[in-house]
Amino acid sequence: MWTPERLRDTMRQKLGDHQFLVVSNREPYVHDYRGGQIRSQKTISGLVTALDPVMQACGGIWVAFGSGSADREVVDGNDCIQVPPEHPRYALRRVWLSKEEESGYYYGYSNQALWPLSHTAYRQPTFDAKDWEYYDEVNKKFSEAILDSCRDRAFVWLQDYHLVRCAKHLKDRNSSLIVSLFWHIPWPNAEVFRICPQKFDILEGLLANDMLGFHILYHCHNFLSTVEQELEAKVDWEELAVTYQGHRTLVRPFPISVDDDNICRIAKSPESTEAIKNIPAELEVPFEYLTLSVDRVDYTKGIPEKIRAIDRFLEKYPEYQGKFVFLQLGVLSRIRISTYKQLIDEIQGLAEEVNWKYRVGSWCPIVLMINRRLDYPAYLAHYRAADLLLVGSLHDGMNLVAKEYVMANVDYKGMLVLSRFTGAARELKEAVLVNPYDTEAIADAIKEALEMPKKEKRRRMTLMQRNIREHNIFWWAHEYIDSLIKLT
């Protein structure tokens, strides 16, 4: 099994004198003013969940946008701070953006153009030329911060769709760097991608990388098909590689994972065990069966579809009325974008409608906890308390919540109901798999999961846990970095 110690020892042997940098839009730790004090908190995101354990094991520098209200107050003269605060293991180098840059690069092009373009969730992308200018300029700003932070011999690991032009800017300045980008979301098919006005610039930026990583082989194939149709490039389908303007880029699937041992340890901790006892009081609703969803509030996560499915479940199986509660934990993001404001209104309206329909005394079926701050042991306590986790993503790169839930299910009391349109569904085949657009099927899947015999739940959970243990986050990081090192 891969452990932090094994990864650290392997990295030291293989990296040699190469420096190691991770680069992302979102920072792993944020500093904010709260009650007149500066407080540090670990960022809640799938990317941070995956990569922070890797960086703690391997060391190096993480370059990211400094978004906290007190971030500037705690960095040194090089805009760096050592993290995690309690046990520093690596350096966080912060990049500063103006309000205009953040609006155009992040809220504009990243999340109103690239995000809907990449997800089959039927939201039309908005391609604003000014947003694209900010996007490219911010990518250049990231590249300058990287170059200021690294030596000539370095591995630079870019993360996600925010940084598609960064490798091009880096290579133009220092061609000796080994640069790779991992794309954390789906890659669309060629017919969808071709509508993008900046498609050539995007592909040119991505093909400046020495390696591109995707979650699953299907997304690799989509990318290769896109390149084949849009550029005069040589696509090697057997080797999964592209040669463009004399530069060769490998394209590989690397299904991302979680820190399995850490999740199990915290889930079994006294803090989590005690937090389980507090959940009924937090919900303020009596229940015998608890169904949980944990999502960033985004239209790709299928939250309205899940609420409609709960409505149908209670209609179809009325014996669960008065006993069943669906808890939606949600983290707000991108609320400056009108689509997201409308989504929040839709979710709240649907929840009120379903609760009014079924409410009896102090019981109602839907509990929304949107943007409530919970520490990690408390999150894992909710996983342990839930009879099932409902993942209803309409389209997802991987979905690490599903893997976290499986590893936190140390009592083997729960079951996973998982959208077929997640990368996780390719690995967690023992889950109850559903089409998130099929309301009737989700209603039946909830009943199946709740009534599944204990022996069958344990069998399925054991198999899923074994899969995650064999392919945990340290295995993923080793496979990725080992492929990168072979390029030297």
Side-chain angles (χ1 to χ4, degrees):
M1 297 292 183
W2 279 92
T3 63
E5 294 75 23
R6 184 181 175 189
L7 177 64
R8 182 178 60 246
D9 293 344
T10 303
M11 287 278 287
R12 284 174 178 170
Q13 294 171 13
K14 294 188 174 183
L15 283 177
D17 62 349
H18 280 77
Q19 202 175 7
F20 183 58
L21 293 91
V22 163
V23 189
S24 67
N25 171 73
R26 183 163 295 181
E27 59 183 337
Y29 295 87
V30 63
H31 290 82
D32 281 316
Y33 287 108
R34 285 191 216 151
Q37 302 283 325
I38 295 178
R39 303 292 175 91
S40 173
Q41 184 169 348
K42 187 175 180 179
T43 304
I44 301 297
S45 84
L47 184 148
V48 172
T49 297
L51 286 172
D52 181 61
V54 173
M55 289 298 286
Q56 289 199 40
C58 301
I61 301 172
W62 188 322
V63 180
F65 164 44
S67 60
S69 58
D71 276 356
R72 288 181 185 266
E73 303 303 317
V74 297
V75 295
D76 62 19
N78 296 315
D79 294 324
C80 289
I81 183 172
Q82 297 295 313
V83 293
E86 61 278 9
H87 298 294
R89 301 287 177 82
Y90 62 92
L92 171 59
R93 163 68 189 269
R94 285 170 168 155
V95 176
W96 312 115
L97 303 182
S98 68
K99 294 285 187 183
E100 294 77 14
E101 287 172 328
E102 185 181 359
S103 178
Y105 146 78
Y106 180 76
Y107 291 104
Y109 202 84
S110 290
N111 289 306
Q112 295 189 69
L114 290 176
W115 179 265
L117 181 70
S118 298
H119 288 85
T120 308
Y122 309 107
R123 297 294 196 280
Q124 183 172 320
T126 301
F127 301 106
D128 185 282
K130 190 66 176 176
D131 286 346
W132 170 255
E133 290 178 16
Y134 276 120
Y135 181 91
D136 193 36
E137 282 301 314
V138 170
N139 270 240
K140 190 177 293 182
K141 182 176 280 194
F142 268 92
S143 73
E144 290 166 354
I146 294 164
L147 292 166
D148 285 344
S149 303
C150 74
R151 303 186 294 265
D152 284 343
R153 293 174 63 80
F155 290 101
V156 180
W157 195 2
L158 307 172
Q159 304 295 323
D160 225 352
Y161 62 101
H162 311 90
L163 299 169
V164 300
R165 293 283 295 171
C166 199
K168 177 72 167 59
H169 295 309
L170 285 172
K171 291 284 192 173
D172 285 347
R173 294 269 303 275
N174 186 346
S175 61
S176 68
L177 295 174
I178 304 298
V179 185
S180 178
L181 183 141
F182 186 75
W183 189 267
H184 287 260
I185 62 177
W187 183 271
N189 64 46
E191 282 300 301
V192 170
F193 185 79
R194 69 195 294 261
I195 71 170
C196 178
Q198 294 81 25
K199 57 187 177 182
F200 299 117
D201 294 310
I202 290 170
L203 293 176
E204 177 188 57
L206 290 173
L207 292 174
N209 288 279
D210 298 295
M211 187 171 74
L212 289 172
F214 296 91
H215 286 298
I216 58 177
L217 186 59
Y218 177 68
H219 297 153
C220 295
H221 287 167
N222 276 353
F223 179 78
L224 293 173
S225 295
T226 301
V227 171
E228 199 167 53
Q229 292 189 34
E230 298 294 346
L231 297 178
E232 291 185 9
K234 180 183 177 182
V235 176
D236 187 331
W237 284 91
E238 185 173 344
E239 293 293 326
L240 296 181
V242 177
T243 302
Y244 178 64
Q245 295 183 348
H247 181 262
R248 182 176 169 85
T249 302
L250 299 181
V251 181
R252 296 286 186 270
F254 297 99
I256 201 168
S257 195
V258 293
D259 184 349
D260 55 316
D261 280 342
N262 191 52
I263 292 171
C264 288
R265 178 182 59 80
I266 297 175
K268 292 176 180 177
S269 70
E271 292 87 350
S272 285
T273 302
E274 186 63 28
I276 292 172
K277 300 175 185 176
N278 299 328
I279 290 174
E282 290 175 4
L283 268 60
E284 299 181 340
V285 177
F287 64 88
E288 293 180 30
Y289 305 96
L290 178 63
T291 289
L292 175 68
S293 281
V294 179
D295 300 288
R296 188 168 51 77
V297 180
D298 189 279
Y299 53 79
T300 65
K301 302 302 182 182
I303 299 173
E305 287 78 5
K306 285 186 285 189
I307 295 174
R308 293 187 184 100
I310 300 302
D311 182 15
R312 180 59 184 140
F313 166 74
L314 293 171
E315 277 183 342
K316 195 171 184 178
Y317 305 108
E319 63 270 25
Y320 283 94
Q321 293 180 23
K323 303 175 181 178
F324 172 96
V325 166
F326 171 67
L327 170 60
Q328 175 68 63
L329 293 176
V331 178
L332 291 178
S333 69
R334 307 169 190 169
I335 56 175
R336 295 181 182 86
I337 300 174
S338 60
T339 304
Y340 287 82
K341 293 178 183 176
Q342 293 163 10
L343 175 64
I344 294 165
D345 290 342
E346 180 185 7
I347 290 167
Q348 291 175 336
L350 278 170
E352 289 173 7
E353 183 180 322
V354 174
N355 281 339
W356 180 85
K357 182 177 179 180
Y358 294 102
R359 187 184 300 275
V360 176
S362 62
W363 175 82
C364 62
I366 310 289
V367 177
L368 299 180
M369 289 188 179
I370 304 298
N371 226 34
R372 179 169 181 180
R373 291 183 180 272
L374 292 174
D375 61 22
Y376 200 54
Y379 264 109
L380 298 188
H382 284 78
Y383 289 149
R384 277 185 65 186
D387 296 287
L388 71 89
L389 180 80
L390 177 56
V391 176
S393 302
L394 307 181
H395 201 189
D396 223 331
M398 177 53 68
N399 194 284
L400 291 180
V401 167
K403 293 188 176 184
E404 283 184 307
Y405 174 74
V406 169
M407 294 314 306
N409 200 345
V410 293
D411 307 308
Y412 297 97
K413 66 165 284 190
M415 182 43 54
L416 173 62
V417 177
L418 179 62
S419 165
R420 294 182 182 275
F421 306 138
T422 62
R426 313 260 175 148
E427 299 177 80
L428 306 180
K429 299 180 187 299
E430 292 78 20
V432 179
L433 301 179
V434 294
N435 177 346
Y437 292 94
D438 190 339
T439 302
E440 202 76 18
I442 298 175
D444 292 340
I446 292 171
K447 184 174 188 292
E448 177 188 350
L450 291 176
E451 297 180 1
M452 188 177 291
K454 291 182 180 179
K455 187 175 180 180
E456 178 63 9
K457 285 182 182 179
R458 177 179 282 270
R459 184 190 73 83
R460 293 190 185 207
M461 274 293 167
T462 300
L463 289 172
M464 288 190 283
Q465 287 179 355
R466 183 182 304 163
N467 183 298
I468 294 170
R469 286 192 184 281
E470 291 174 356
H471 304 95
N472 65 15
I473 188 60
F474 304 108
W475 168 87
W476 173 80
H478 170 263
E479 291 295 300
Y480 200 107
I481 296 165
D482 189 55
S483 296
L484 205 55
I485 288 169
K486 290 174 182 176
L487 298 176
T488 58

